[in-house]
């Protein structure tokens, strides 16, 4: 990965420009002082400054990953700020949202400041933007609400106890009531704990007699949350890493009532079912688990229609000893930033996404969810230039360890052939050559 500081003025010519509202087949973009100066619908316009020939590749907005475990602060044995942000660049992500199940948990302004201090050198080195989620409850104990006002004033983008579902009805009512005035999402890891499940089903689960992860753990919590949300209809509620078709239906029905409900899906839930899990491949132990072919089909259809808003990776790096080969003992989670766009490109090639919808789910919709659409989500005159140059027609290549820049290599797509290749990454400060 080669890095270069951007010139003050440059032109990228001969590119297909993919935006959520328009596809330009033969375009050109002029960038001045880190912002888009002009977007032309053909490459015959007057170039300015240093010239880059895009050779007919796709120029699209860089991704926004609204669900990332950077493990900051305090978990450098899993991921460091620089390895995490290099993984983001490899996957084309210009902005990421850090989850708060850290050491210590991000439940106060002091810990927010601690996290940003730890992140600062990597932010300056890469130019990638990192935003923070805060816990819903102090210490992620599920017993007492955090100081919502101080954290919202500081600038957290969501409140979540991700990794644990908030089981108390009273706490969820209080969270909706207090967070609603800030127009910040309450993002739920939908799981009633204590079920002891590991895999949702499939051949391996039955053969190895691995404890089964029940549907009710996710579905019942979302149903409960929507009941409580009706008492505070101004609140925003978001379901993290939705895995069930039944859960998607709950979300759709709630929106028909006028409630502010949204959800996201991971690349691995779009690509795999539980029948593809093999013995010892504990990267496939994630929470929520992979489901059956019907659920996968519903998730794809809901992503197409917009009933599932966007794709988020739930990038969850672990030290190698935390995974091992024993499903019952292994930690939950897979990494995903480096491979996410290539999964979406595979869906594009199968006709499961259009080019415009791909841009929406990868960049535009998560930027709106986080309230950062002034910086991300489209290549538009006047906005910061956050973009990637992609060969969407690149033939499928098998994912190997060398493709993964995260400190952790527990990625479910290792050994899978995925199409597409990100060749160049741009943000207002830097550009990175990725091939």
């Amino acid at each position: 990965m080669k890095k270069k500081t951007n010139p003050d003025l440059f032109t990228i010519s001969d590119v297909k420009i993919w935006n959520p509202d328009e596809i330009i087949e033969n375009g050109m973009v002029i960038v001045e002082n880190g912002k888009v100066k002009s977007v032309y619908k053909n490459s015959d316009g007057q170039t300015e400054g240093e010239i880059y020939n895009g050779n007919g590749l796709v120029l699209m907005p860089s991704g926004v990953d609204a669900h990332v475990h950077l493990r900051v602060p305090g978990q450098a044995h899993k991921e460091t700020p620089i390895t995490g942000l290099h993984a983001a660049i490899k996957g084309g992500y210009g902005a990421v949202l850090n989850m708060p199940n850290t050491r210590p948990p991000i439940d106060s302004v002091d810990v927010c400041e601690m996290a940003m201090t730890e992140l600062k050198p990597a932010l300056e080195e890469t130019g990638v933007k990192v935003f923070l989620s805060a816990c819903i409850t102090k210490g992620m104990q599920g017993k007492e609400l955090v100081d919502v006002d101080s954290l919202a004033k500081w600038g957290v983008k969501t409140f979540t106890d991700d990794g644990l579902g908030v089981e108390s009805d009273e706490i969820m009512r209080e969270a909706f009531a207090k967070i609603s005035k800030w127009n910040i999402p309450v993002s739920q890891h939908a799981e009633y704990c204590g079920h002891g499940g590991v895999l949702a089903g499939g051949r391996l689960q039955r053969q190895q007699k691995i404890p089964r992860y029940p549907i009710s753990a996710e579905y019942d919590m979302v149903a409960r949350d929507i009941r409580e949300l009706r008492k505070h209809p101004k609140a925003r509620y978001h379901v993290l890493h939705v895995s069930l078709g039944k859960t998607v239906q709950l979300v759709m029905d709630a929106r028909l009532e006028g409630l502010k409900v949204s959800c996201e899906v991971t690349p691995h839930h779009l690509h795999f079912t539980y029948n593809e899990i093999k013995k010892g491949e504990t990267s496939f132990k994630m929470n929520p688990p992979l489901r059956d072919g019907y659920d996968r089909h519903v998730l794809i259809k809901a992503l197409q229609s917009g009933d599932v808003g966007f794709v988020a990776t739930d990038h969850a790096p672990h030290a190698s000893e935390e995974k091992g080969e024993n499903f019952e003992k292994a930690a939950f989670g897979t990494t995903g930033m480096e491979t996410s766009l290539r999964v979406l490109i595979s869906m594009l090639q199968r006709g499961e996404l259009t080019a415009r919808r791909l841009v929406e789910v990868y960049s535009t919709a998560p930027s709106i969810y986080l309230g950062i659409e002034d910086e991300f989500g489209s290549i538009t005159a006047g906005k910061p230039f956050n973009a990637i140059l992609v060969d969407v027609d690149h033939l499928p290549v098998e994912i190997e360890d060398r493709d993964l820049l995260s400190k952790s290599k527990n990625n479910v797509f290792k050994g899978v052939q995925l199409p597409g290749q990100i060749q160049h990454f741009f943000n207002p400060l830097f550009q990175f050559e990725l091939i």
Side-chain angles (χ1 to χ4, degrees):
M1 187 163 63
K2 297 178 182 178
K3 173 185 168 185
K4 176 183 175 182
T5 300
N6 286 331
D8 293 338
L9 182 65
F10 63 96
T11 298
I12 303 177
S13 65
D14 187 22
V15 286
K16 299 174 185 176
I17 302 171
W18 286 10
N19 267 321
D21 57 350
E22 185 179 31
I23 303 297
I24 299 173
E25 288 298 328
N26 181 26
M28 182 172 75
V29 175
I30 297 174
V31 181
E32 185 172 26
N33 297 321
K35 289 189 175 182
V36 179
K37 181 180 179 181
S38 305
V39 178
Y40 292 100
K41 292 189 177 182
N42 60 66
S43 292
D44 297 330
Q46 184 66 45
T47 60
E48 298 182 45
E50 194 168 331
I51 301 172
Y52 299 87
N53 190 325
N55 296 311
L57 299 181
V58 169
L59 187 71
M60 61 183 287
S62 59
V64 174
D65 194 343
H67 194 151
V68 175
H69 297 271
L70 286 178
R71 308 303 192 190
V72 175
Q75 294 177 304
H77 66 291
K78 296 174 182 278
E79 187 81 281
T80 67
I82 196 64
T83 58
L85 296 192
H86 279 171
I89 291 170
K90 182 71 172 179
Y93 286 106
V96 301
L97 180 69
N98 184 46
M99 293 292 106
N101 56 336
T102 50
R103 295 293 179 270
I106 302 176
D107 62 359
S108 69
V109 168
D110 286 345
V111 184
C112 288
E113 295 291 348
M114 181 190 303
M116 295 312 294
T117 297
E118 193 172 318
L119 284 162
K120 185 178 178 181
L123 297 176
E124 293 174 347
E125 172 69 19
T126 63
V128 175
K129 291 287 186 77
V130 176
F131 301 95
L132 299 186
S133 288
C135 301
I136 296 173
T137 66
K138 292 181 179 179
M140 293 181 63
Q141 296 297 307
K143 297 177 181 178
E144 183 180 358
L145 200 68
V146 296
D147 184 343
V148 167
D149 291 346
S150 66
L151 286 160
K153 288 177 183 177
W154 184 88
V156 301
K157 294 299 184 183
T158 66
F159 288 90
T160 179
D161 276 4
D162 184 47
L164 294 171
V166 177
E167 298 193 10
S168 166
D169 297 1
E170 181 181 355
I171 290 292
M172 284 307 296
R173 282 195 297 271
E174 186 180 3
F176 286 141
K178 292 191 174 181
I179 298 172
S180 62
K181 70 177 182 178
W182 293 100
N183 194 34
I184 296 174
V186 179
S187 300
Q188 183 73 282
H189 171 104
E191 178 194 11
Y192 279 111
C193 296
H195 55 79
V198 174
L199 299 177
R203 290 183 294 272
L204 182 69
Q205 183 270 329
R206 294 189 295 271
Q207 290 169 0
Q208 301 292 311
K209 298 182 179 179
I210 296 169
R212 187 164 187 149
Y213 192 118
I215 288 172
S216 58
E218 174 178 312
Y219 179 85
D220 289 354
M221 181 165 282
V222 175
R224 184 281 310 267
D225 288 344
I226 291 171
R227 288 195 299 271
E228 297 300 335
L229 185 65
R230 293 189 182 106
K231 302 168 188 174
H232 302 282
K234 293 183 179 180
R236 292 174 63 190
Y237 173 65
H238 182 77
V239 184
L240 300 169
H241 43 50
V242 64
S243 70
L244 292 165
K246 288 179 61 176
T247 305
V248 173
Q249 189 63 54
L250 285 175
V251 170
M252 293 166 60
D253 292 344
R255 279 207 294 265
L256 288 174
E257 293 181 42
L259 298 174
K260 300 175 183 178
V261 182
S262 59
C263 62
E264 68 191 42
V265 66
T266 72
H268 41 276
H269 286 100
L270 292 168
H271 193 86
F272 296 107
T273 71
Y274 54 45
N275 284 322
E276 290 153 283
I277 304 174
K278 297 178 182 177
K279 184 177 179 181
E281 292 184 347
T282 56
S283 290
F284 283 86
K285 182 182 178 181
M286 70 276 293
N287 194 356
L290 296 177
R291 306 290 185 176
D292 63 19
Y294 170 77
D295 286 310
R296 176 178 174 270
H297 172 76
V298 173
L299 294 174
I300 291 170
K301 290 297 183 182
L303 188 68
Q304 292 171 339
S305 67
D307 292 312
V308 170
F310 55 86
V311 171
T313 67
D314 193 12
H315 178 87
H318 289 289
S320 58
E321 62 272 16
E322 295 171 324
K323 273 295 191 178
E325 295 184 356
N326 186 310
F327 272 90
E328 293 188 47
K329 295 180 179 179
F332 286 99
T334 175
T335 63
M337 283 195 288
E338 300 101 317
T339 47
S340 178
L341 180 59
R342 294 172 67 180
V343 174
L344 296 179
I345 291 171
S346 71
M347 295 176 68
L348 175 77
Q349 293 183 354
R350 291 193 298 270
E352 294 171 343
L353 290 175
T354 65
R356 287 170 57 180
R357 184 61 182 152
L358 185 153
V359 173
E360 286 176 346
V361 304
Y362 174 68
S363 181
T364 314
S367 72
I368 294 170
Y369 165 73
L370 296 177
I372 58 173
E373 63 269 31
D374 288 345
E375 297 181 77
F376 295 91
S378 67
I379 300 171
T380 306
K383 288 183 67 168
F385 187 55
N386 289 292
I388 52 175
L389 192 64
V390 186
D391 180 359
V392 297
D393 296 317
H394 195 280
L395 293 175
V397 177
E398 186 173 303
I399 303 299
E400 302 177 359
D401 277 355
R402 65 182 180 180
D403 300 310
L404 308 174
L405 301 188
S406 171
K407 185 174 183 178
S408 171
K409 308 305 177 188
N410 59 296
N411 187 297
V412 291
F413 291 98
K414 283 198 301 185
V416 175
Q417 290 196 346
L418 292 175
Q421 183 185 67
I422 302 173
Q423 295 195 358
H424 227 89
F425 174 97
F426 298 90
N427 61 39
L429 296 175
F430 307 115
Q431 51 184 277
F432 293 84
E433 187 178 334
L434 302 183
I435 58 170

